[in-house]
């Protein structure tokens, strides 16, 4: 799972985490997959009184979380979601991690199985700056939010907002909310078209639920 | 000889608290025997609060005892978990009431094969019934009942102690608020059973073992027990730790002697470990306790599915493993974590990077201490336990 250590990212990242937090009903059971140092889980437990669990790939992150009193286990989205029972959680969060998984489709299927709702956030590869760099410079994009070069990035399955929407439809899941943030961390209007979100959204956050289920 | 005498005095007159359960209050064992009378020897540290909600049961490993954080009455050494338990330590006795009982089948005051069999007036020897980890936990539960404690705030321990922690959580889910199984597994592996068998065969091959009747016949199978300890001790360490500590260094000499003296430091170290062990431990207890570990298979008691052992558990777990532990590797600990996840239990899991092998849980491992401190702090908040009183 990606680690967010670049201090320049902090402010924008907070916006992303706070928006995720606002999607969650207080008192819920929440699993944060790729929870890093537990920043989001801590916000959720302290401010929203949720019952939180985490999975994190890096041992250092896990140990930091446990020392903070969070219930976090070492593992990754590709291998360890199998163990979790159906409907074990109200929300499963995959924050800035889906692009680093080996099989995003399977992972997303697990999220929708384990959680009544899934919240997925990721960097949008369809953002105009990405398009610009690839189109005019002919090089794999390197941006503030994706600062690593192609040869040393943990991200192996980049997608655009449009790609992700298409995968959600394939899985017959429903999108309850979509939030996109521009490169300065500002929210794009909720009523913006998919094309606009896909060009101007640098990060996207989706609230999903299984198809064919009533509330 | 004096220390040997001191060790055997501990069997019936331990330097610790004891509680005795009479013939009218037997312990029903897994093997079907009702064991009575029963003595449980234990130590406590700190103060039980008025709500009786701050008790932590520390479970000792194979050759441990109740002296978790005080000087050992036989060896004079600090308690086996002196680094973990005490005022201001991760298991903080300013805040928690810590209990540690000698396990059933052992030799430091709790009833075991060297205790007197009331039927014969002589040491039980092999007439002592074979006990299991679950029997040990049942005996501990009788002690906890006796102390008037309904729910333990935490049960913690490593190795065989970790097996007891898992058994407590499975047998008495409502009585265990939180649990810290360390460097353990939900079942003993065939490799570990194999090592135990080597140890038992070493004891039983000693002519002084006398079919387990050595106490009655006035002998001691010290050589066999020392060999058993030497073999086991290797499994508690790691290749890296042995290499760092000893390498191929020679002991008090410049060249090898072309003989079978302890030329190498590692040989003399193991011989020392074996010799000091026989001064504090009973050979038959070693047979019984290794057997109890061998029989441990928690999933088997729950239809073969480990997750069923923790179904609907509200206990908060913190599983800890060590990278260089080849006796209870991370994988076995992780299987416990997977089962707890599948059961929807609240579980944390840390793997501590260390080259010190299985014994790391007894040593100075700051990351382990930080994890356990943080876990207990969070559990204490959830339990509504007040922060510790500041010590001047």
């Amino acid at each position: 799972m990606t680690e967010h250590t670049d201090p320049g990212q902090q402010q924008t990242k907070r916006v992303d985490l706070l928006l995720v937090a606002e999607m969650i009903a207080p008192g819920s059971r929440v699993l944060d997959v790729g929870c890093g140092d537990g920043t989001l889980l801590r916000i959720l437990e302290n401010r929203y009184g949720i019952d939180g669990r985490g999975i994190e790939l890096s041992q250092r992150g896990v140990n930091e979380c446990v020392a903070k009193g969070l219930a976090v286990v070492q593992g990754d989205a590709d291998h360890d979601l199998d163990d979790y029972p159906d409907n074990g959680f109200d929300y499963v969060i995959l924050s800035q991690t889906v692009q680093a998984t080996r099989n995003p489709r399977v992972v997303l299927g697990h999220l929708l199985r384990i959680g009544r709702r899934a919240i997925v956030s990721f960097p949008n590869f369809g953002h105009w700056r990405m398009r610009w760099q690839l189109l005019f410079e002919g090089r794999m994009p390197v941006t503030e939010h994706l600062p690593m070069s192609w040869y040393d990035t943990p991200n192996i399955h980049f997608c655009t907002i449009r790609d992700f929407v298409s995968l959600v439809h394939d899985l017959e899941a429903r999108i309850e909310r979509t939030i996109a943030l521009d490169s300065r961390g500002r929210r794009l209007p909720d009523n913006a078209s998919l094309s606009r979100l896909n060009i101007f959204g640098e990060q996207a956050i989706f609230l999903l639920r299984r198809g064919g289920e009533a509330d | 000889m004096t220390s040997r005498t001191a060790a055997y005095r501990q069997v019936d007159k331990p330097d610790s608290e004891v509680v005795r359960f009479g013939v009218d209050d037997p312990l029903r064992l897994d093997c079907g025997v009702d064991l009575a009378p029963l003595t449980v020897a234990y130590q406590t540290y700190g103060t039980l609060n008025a709500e009786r909600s701050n008790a932590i049961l520390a479970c000792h490993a194979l050759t441990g005892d109740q002296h978790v954080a005080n000087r050992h009455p036989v060896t004079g050494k600090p308690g086996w978990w002196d680094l973990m338990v005490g005022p201001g330590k991760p298991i903080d006795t300013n805040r928690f009431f810590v209990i540690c009982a000698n396990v059933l089948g052992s030799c430091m005051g709790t009833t075991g094969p060297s205790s007197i069999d009331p039927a014969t007036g002589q040491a039980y020897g092999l007439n002592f019934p074979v006990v299991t980890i679950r029997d040990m936990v049942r005996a501990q539960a009788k002690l906890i009942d006796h102390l008037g404690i309904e729910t333990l705030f935490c049960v913690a321990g490593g190795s065989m102690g970790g097996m007891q922690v898992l058994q407590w959580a499975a047998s008495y889910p409502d009585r265990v608020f939180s649990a810290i199984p360390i460097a353990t597994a939900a079942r003993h592996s065939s490799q570990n059973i194999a090592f135990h068998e080597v140890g038992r065969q070493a004891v039983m091959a000693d002519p002084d073992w006398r079919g387990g009747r050595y106490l009655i016949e006035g002998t001691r199978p010290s050589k066999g027990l020392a060999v058993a300890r030497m073999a086991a001790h290797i499994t508690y360490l790691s290749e890296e730790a042995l290499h760092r500590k000893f390498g191929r260094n020679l002991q008090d000499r410049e060249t090898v002697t072309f003989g079978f003296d302890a030329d190498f430091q590692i040989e003399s170290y193991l011989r020392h470990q074996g010799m000091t062990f026989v001064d504090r431990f009973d050979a038959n207890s070693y047979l019984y306790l290794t057997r109890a570990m061998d029989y441990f298979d928690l999933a088997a008691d729950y239809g073969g599915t480990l997750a069923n052992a923790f179904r609907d558990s509200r206990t908060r777990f913190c599983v800890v493993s060590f990278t260089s532990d080849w006796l209870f590797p991370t994988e076995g600990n992780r299987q416990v974590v997977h089962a707890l996840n599948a059961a929807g239990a609240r579980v944390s899991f840390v793997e501590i990077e260390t080259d010190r092998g299985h014994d790391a849980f007894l040593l100075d491992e700051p990351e382990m201490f930080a994890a356990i401190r943080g876990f207990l702090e969070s559990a204490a908040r959830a339990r509504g336990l007040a922060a510790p009183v500041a010590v001047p």
Side-chain angles (χ1 to χ4, degrees):
Chain A
M1 261 119 259
T2 51
E3 284 182 65
H4 306 276
T5 48
D6 179 3
Q9 280 179 242
Q10 285 306 311
Q11 205 179 351
T12 335
K13 179 144 166 54
R14 304 299 308 191
V15 175
D16 151 46
L17 293 185
L18 290 175
L19 288 173
V20 168
E22 278 167 22
M23 289 181 173
I24 291 172
S28 305
R29 279 169 61 87
V30 177
L31 177 65
D32 186 1
V33 182
C35 63
D37 65 1
T39 303
L40 176 61
L41 275 176
R42 240 191 168 179
I43 292 171
L44 290 172
E45 289 203 349
N46 293 344
R47 291 197 209 161
Y48 299 83
I50 62 108
D51 178 11
R53 315 286 163 81
I55 302 178
E56 168 57 29
L57 187 61
S58 81
Q59 198 59 58
R60 202 185 66 190
V62 175
N63 294 6
E64 277 180 39
C65 288
V66 175
K68 287 175 188 163
L70 299 167
V72 172
V73 302
Q74 204 251 345
D76 69 55
D78 281 307
H79 297 102
D80 293 289
L81 293 177
D82 274 352
D83 300 323
Y84 291 85
D86 296 358
N87 297 318
F89 292 88
D90 299 309
Y91 298 87
V92 183
I93 300 167
L94 192 68
S95 173
Q96 305 289 331
T97 298
V98 69
Q99 74 280 359
T101 64
R102 198 153 285 285
N103 197 332
R105 189 189 166 100
V106 172
V107 168
L108 202 55
H110 275 308
L111 301 187
L112 292 163
R113 175 184 66 78
I114 297 166
R116 291 175 203 288
R117 286 185 170 80
I119 298 173
V120 182
S121 74
F122 57 89
N124 173 29
F125 216 72
H127 186 255
W128 66 266
R129 274 198 233 210
M130 303 284 187
R131 302 184 193 208
W132 178 277
Q133 287 189 31
L134 200 54
L135 188 62
F136 293 104
E137 296 172 23
R139 303 195 57 174
M140 282 300 280
V142 175
T143 68
E144 194 189 335
H145 285 97
L146 291 168
M148 285 157 285
S149 299
W150 63 274
Y151 50 81
D152 68 355
T153 173
N155 302 316
I156 51 180
H157 282 123
F158 283 119
C159 69
T160 69
I161 288 176
R162 206 180 272 284
D163 289 328
F164 185 79
V165 168
S166 153
L167 176 59
V168 170
H169 288 155
D170 269 10
L171 289 166
E172 295 177 353
R174 296 207 314 250
I175 296 172
E176 291 200 332
R177 281 183 78 183
T178 307
I179 296 176
L181 301 175
D182 69 15
S183 50
R184 296 161 82 176
R186 293 176 307 201
R187 270 175 83 160
L188 296 173
D190 282 353
N191 58 1
S193 70
L194 188 57
S195 298
R196 193 168 164 208
L197 296 180
N198 202 23
I199 291 178
F200 295 105
E202 195 165 38
Q203 298 180 73
I205 308 163
F206 284 87
L207 175 65
L208 310 172
R209 70 184 305 183
R210 250 167 281 163
E213 277 191 21
D215 205 355
Chain B
M1 276 315 276
T2 49
S3 61
R4 189 168 290 176
T5 314
Y8 269 84
R9 205 169 48 227
Q10 297 297 314
V11 171
D12 290 315
K13 292 188 174 58
D15 292 330
S16 72
E17 301 278 333
V18 290
V19 54
R20 296 182 209 281
F21 302 98
V23 286
D24 53 329
D25 187 12
L27 184 72
R28 169 56 63 91
L29 303 175
D30 277 342
C31 67
V33 170
D34 282 334
L35 184 66
L38 167 71
T39 302
V40 178
Y42 66 100
Q43 291 278 14
T44 66
Y45 311 81
T47 311
L48 187 62
N49 64 14
E51 299 77 31
R52 298 175 174 268
S53 61
N54 68 334
I56 296 183
L57 179 68
C59 298
H60 70 72
L62 179 66
T63 63
D65 48 53
Q66 67 273 41
H67 305 289
V68 61
N70 57 267
R71 263 181 205 292
H72 194 284
V74 177
T75 64
K77 289 185 176 170
W80 58 272
W81 230 6
D82 205 48
L83 295 171
M84 182 71 84
V85 178
K89 307 266 174 80
I91 297 180
D92 187 351
T93 51
N94 289 329
R95 182 177 207 180
F96 304 117
F97 177 63
V98 177
I99 308 156
C100 183
N102 191 214
V103 295
L104 183 66
S106 192
C107 54
M108 292 295 286
T110 295
T111 305
S114 48
S115 305
I116 300 299
D117 179 354
T120 63
Q122 293 179 316
Y124 275 104
L126 293 198
N127 289 328
F128 193 71
V130 168
V131 298
T132 63
I133 298 290
R134 187 158 57 178
D135 294 331
M136 294 175 186
V137 165
R138 286 188 181 114
Q140 289 165 349
K142 278 177 95 80
L143 168 66
I144 299 307
D145 288 341
H146 169 81
L147 295 174
I149 295 164
E150 177 57 36
T151 302
L152 289 162
F153 168 64
C154 185
V155 184
S159 196
M160 186 180 86
M163 291 177 168
Q164 295 161 47
V165 173
L166 296 175
Q167 187 68 62
W168 259 100
S171 294
Y172 307 103
D174 297 334
R175 302 189 68 179
V176 182
F177 186 77
S178 65
I180 310 177
I182 306 172
T184 191
R187 67 172 169 208
H188 216 214
S189 71
S190 60
Q191 177 173 290
N192 289 353
I193 295 171
F195 277 116
H196 276 174
E197 178 60 1
V198 170
R200 283 190 295 264
Q201 288 299 328
V203 169
M204 294 190 283
D206 189 322
D208 285 337
W209 181 60
R210 306 282 173 97
R213 291 172 51 82
Y214 52 88
L215 287 176
I216 297 161
E217 302 192 7
T219 57
R220 291 288 308 284
S222 303
K223 291 199 176 74
L225 184 60
V227 171
R229 176 62 173 183
M230 288 167 76
H233 198 82
I234 299 167
T235 70
Y236 303 152
L237 307 174
S238 70
E239 165 71 17
E240 304 97 293
L242 281 176
H243 179 75
R244 182 162 39 82
K245 202 165 172 186
F246 304 107
R248 291 180 52 84
N249 298 341
L250 301 180
Q251 179 73 37
D252 303 330
R253 63 201 67 186
E254 297 299 316
T255 57
V256 297
T257 60
F258 295 99
F260 297 101
D261 277 354
D263 277 0
F264 295 99
Q265 281 178 7
I266 177 64
E267 293 174 313
S268 114
Y269 170 76
L270 283 180
R271 289 182 189 192
H272 173 75
Q273 289 293 332
M275 278 185 318
T276 53
F277 182 63
V278 300
D279 287 339
R280 70 174 174 88
F281 215 79
D282 173 59
N284 283 340
S285 277
Y286 196 81
L287 304 183
Y288 278 85
L289 298 186
T290 55
R291 207 65 183 140
M293 287 181 80
D294 293 351
Y295 282 162
F296 188 62
D297 183 356
L298 193 53
D301 298 337
Y302 291 87
T305 305
L306 186 57
N308 289 343
F310 308 114
R311 182 176 281 174
D312 301 325
S313 176
R314 281 175 291 124
T315 303
R316 307 157 78 96
F317 291 85
C318 181
V319 178
V320 180
S321 75
F322 301 97
T323 49
S324 54
D325 184 348
W326 59 287
L327 194 63
F328 288 91
T330 288
E331 197 43 43
N333 292 274
R334 198 187 285 280
Q335 279 166 12
V336 173
V337 174
H338 288 177
L340 288 167
N341 281 334
R346 186 181 167 91
V347 56
S348 299
F349 169 52
V350 292
E351 182 183 28
I352 307 294
E353 177 98 35
T354 174
D355 73 352
R356 299 201 276 192
H358 182 62
D359 264 358
F361 78 93
L362 301 168
L363 304 175
D364 183 19
E365 290 289 347
E367 264 195 283
M368 170 179 70
F369 296 146
I372 288 175
R373 199 186 279 277
F375 173 77
L376 287 176
E377 172 62 38
S378 140
R381 256 183 279 126
R383 183 90 170 123
L385 293 177
V389 183
V391 182

